[in-house]
């Protein structure tokens, strides 16, 4: 065997510097006007942050024969593992650290197999990853090692400095007494194409329970900064949530906010458009310049809503998983 495995923590700063130089793309690089270097820094702040050793699955895989160093960036997700009751890990990516960086035809079989073995030894049962379609080498390796795609994801975006819709609608921030009603809406508006409901390994009851947990966490300002509902008589039957992302604005050199979650019952016709439009106005009021959201390539209804509001396609992404 010609490969050497080094802990990420033993060469953290060197690896981060190499990734900053060699990452061929970054999460928000589809947005005009964003700082690409700042976007990479924001991304690396997440994947290179300090982790409890028990959750740290990152290593540097060095092939002496090929003179290649590869960073395998992955972690055990504590909250997810506790919620579902089995070990869950996220593979952020497998990246080349030497020139020229992007190698679309490099063979990543060995570092990926090594990661899967280490994850299994660490008690991981479920691994997922979000892959840019440009990452040809990793896509091939994942398929060959038994990963399957569970969500083809699309990102939509638009600038809102000049946002204007044909009409305004009455909305308000959700109150505590709204929580039972909007929780029911989110739980019962099942999207069979999201990565939780689309995966038969995840129990339907767990996916529904997760939707409930998300709206509760959003209301508590953990997953979202704002929760809007229609300001109409009676109980709310539609909801939309958003994140301001202000901590990232300086490095992005662009004030970007995210539409996180939206749901409406059959009793709220048209409110998917109305709430999203009003959320864009709300974002503009707090200083946002650009917004984005993600959905599935199969979610034609939301795609039509986006296009109707001038929110355009930015990029695609594949979510894959493997059960060990």
């Amino acid at each position: 065997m010609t490969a050497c495995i080094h802990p990420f923590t033993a060469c953290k700063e060197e690896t981060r510097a190499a990734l900053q130089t060699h990452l061929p793309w970054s999460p928000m690089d589809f947005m005009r006007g964003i700082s690409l270097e700042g976007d990479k820094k924001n991304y690396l702040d997440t994947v290179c942050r300090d982790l409890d050793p028990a959750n740290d699955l990152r290593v540097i895989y060095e092939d002496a024969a090929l003179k290649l160093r590869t960073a395998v960036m992955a972690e055990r997700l504590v909250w997810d593992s506790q919620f579902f009751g089995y070990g869950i890990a996220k593979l952020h990516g497998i990246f080349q650290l030497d020139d020229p960086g992007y190698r679309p035809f490099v063979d990543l079989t060995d570092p990926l197999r090594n990661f899967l073995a280490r994850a299994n030894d660490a008690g991981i049962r479920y691994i997922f990853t979000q892959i840019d379609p440009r990452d040809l080498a990793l896509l091939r390796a994942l398929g060959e090692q038994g990963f399957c795609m569970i969500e083809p994801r699309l990102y939509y975006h638009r600038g809102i400095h000049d946002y204007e819709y044909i009409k305004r609608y009455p909305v308000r921030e959700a109150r505590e007494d709204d929580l039972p009603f909007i929780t029911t809406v989110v739980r019962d508006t099942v999207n069979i194409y999201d990565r939780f409901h689309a995966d038969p390994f995840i129990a339907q009851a767990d996916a529904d329970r997760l939707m409930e947990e998300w709206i509760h966490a959003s209301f508590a300002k953990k997953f979202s900064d704002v929760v809007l509902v229609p300001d109409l008589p009676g109980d709310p039957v539609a909801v939309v949530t958003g994140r301001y992302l202000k901590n990232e604005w300086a490095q992005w050199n662009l004030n970007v906010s995210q539409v996180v979650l939206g749901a409406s019952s059959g009793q709220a016709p048209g409110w998917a458009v109305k709430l999203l439009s009003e959320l864009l106005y709300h974002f503009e009021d707090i200083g946002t310049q650009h917004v984005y959201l993600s959905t599935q390539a199969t979610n034609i209804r939301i795609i039509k809503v986006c296009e109707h509001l001038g929110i355009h396609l930015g990029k695609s992404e594949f979510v894959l998983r493997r059960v060990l």
Side-chain angles (χ1 to χ4, degrees):
M1 180 176 179
T2 60
C4 297
I5 312 297
H6 308 289
F8 168 78
T9 51
C11 47
K12 176 180 177 179
E13 296 307 319
E14 175 190 353
T15 300
R16 175 167 181 147
L19 290 172
Q20 183 72 38
T21 298
H22 292 302
L23 280 178
W25 45 75
S26 56
M28 302 297 172
D29 65 5
F30 57 90
M31 291 186 188
R32 181 178 299 175
I34 204 164
S35 166
L36 298 182
E37 289 305 302
D39 191 33
K40 288 182 182 180
K41 287 177 181 176
N42 279 336
Y43 176 68
L44 294 175
D45 284 346
T46 297
V47 301
C48 296
R49 74 190 190 283
D50 292 336
L51 294 174
D52 185 307
N55 303 319
D56 198 340
L57 299 172
R58 300 170 296 187
V59 298
I60 308 304
Y61 187 93
E62 187 171 0
D63 190 317
L66 298 178
K67 296 182 180 180
L68 287 177
R69 293 179 306 144
T70 303
V72 181
M73 307 298 284
E75 64 179 292
R76 176 180 177 270
L77 300 180
V78 178
W79 188 92
D80 303 64
S81 298
Q82 292 173 345
F83 183 88
F84 287 102
Y86 47 84
I88 295 178
K90 181 175 183 178
L91 174 64
H92 294 290
I94 299 180
F95 306 106
Q96 301 302 304
L97 298 178
D98 303 300
D99 290 333
Y102 178 47
R103 300 172 187 239
F105 302 108
V106 71
D107 186 355
L108 297 179
T109 301
D110 287 343
L112 181 57
R113 282 178 177 168
N114 175 268
F115 162 67
L116 293 173
R118 289 185 296 105
N120 186 61
D121 291 343
I124 299 299
R125 177 70 171 141
Y126 186 99
I127 301 168
F128 76 96
T129 185
Q130 298 166 215
I131 299 297
D132 192 294
R134 293 169 286 187
D135 200 346
L136 299 179
L138 186 52
L139 280 171
R140 281 196 311 275
L142 290 168
E144 290 167 356
Q145 294 304 310
F147 281 76
C148 66
M149 186 169 69
I150 52 173
E151 182 183 321
R153 185 174 292 176
L154 301 177
Y155 285 77
Y156 279 78
H157 71 114
R158 69 159 289 166
I160 59 169
H161 67 280
D162 60 347
Y163 180 72
E164 188 174 354
Y165 192 54
I166 55 175
K167 188 176 179 180
R168 297 297 303 268
Y169 301 98
V171 300
R172 60 174 173 81
E173 291 201 38
R175 302 185 296 256
E176 188 169 357
D177 58 349
D178 296 321
L179 195 53
F181 305 103
I182 58 179
T183 298
T184 299
V185 170
V186 170
R187 183 195 62 222
D188 293 349
T189 309
V190 176
N191 176 5
I192 66 168
Y193 297 112
D194 72 51
R195 76 174 184 90
F196 300 100
H197 288 95
D199 191 343
F201 181 81
I202 297 176
Q204 177 76 43
D206 284 342
D208 292 344
R209 189 166 55 93
L210 181 65
M211 298 300 109
E212 295 180 6
E213 184 66 25
W214 272 2
I215 201 64
H216 279 259
S218 296
F219 186 80
K221 307 296 185 182
K222 294 179 181 178
F223 288 174
S224 296
D225 296 300
V226 61
V227 180
L228 296 181
V229 296
D231 188 10
L232 299 172
D235 303 323
V237 288
V239 62
V240 68
T241 73
R243 296 173 66 201
Y244 298 153
L245 304 175
K246 288 186 176 181
N247 290 338
E248 283 77 41
W249 286 5
Q251 287 195 155
W252 274 331
N253 196 33
L254 188 68
N255 299 355
V256 179
S257 296
Q258 178 188 10
V259 182
V260 179
L261 176 68
S264 59
S265 75
Q267 303 173 52
W271 273 97
V273 169
K274 296 172 186 177
L275 275 176
L276 182 52
S277 178
E278 289 302 317
L279 180 59
L280 298 188
Y281 280 114
H282 175 83
F283 280 150
E284 189 175 22
D285 288 343
I286 61 101
T288 300
Q289 299 167 312
H290 212 98
V291 300
Y292 80 95
L293 61 88
S294 65
T295 189
Q296 302 78 36
T298 46
N299 199 338
I300 305 302
R301 174 174 173 263
I302 297 304
I303 290 172
K304 289 182 177 179
V305 167
C306 288
E307 292 177 345
H308 179 69
L309 294 177
I311 307 172
H312 304 295
L313 178 64
K315 75 166 187 176
S316 59
E317 181 179 80
F318 301 136
V319 184
L320 298 96
R321 71 92 166 118
R322 176 171 167 177
V323 177
L324 299 180

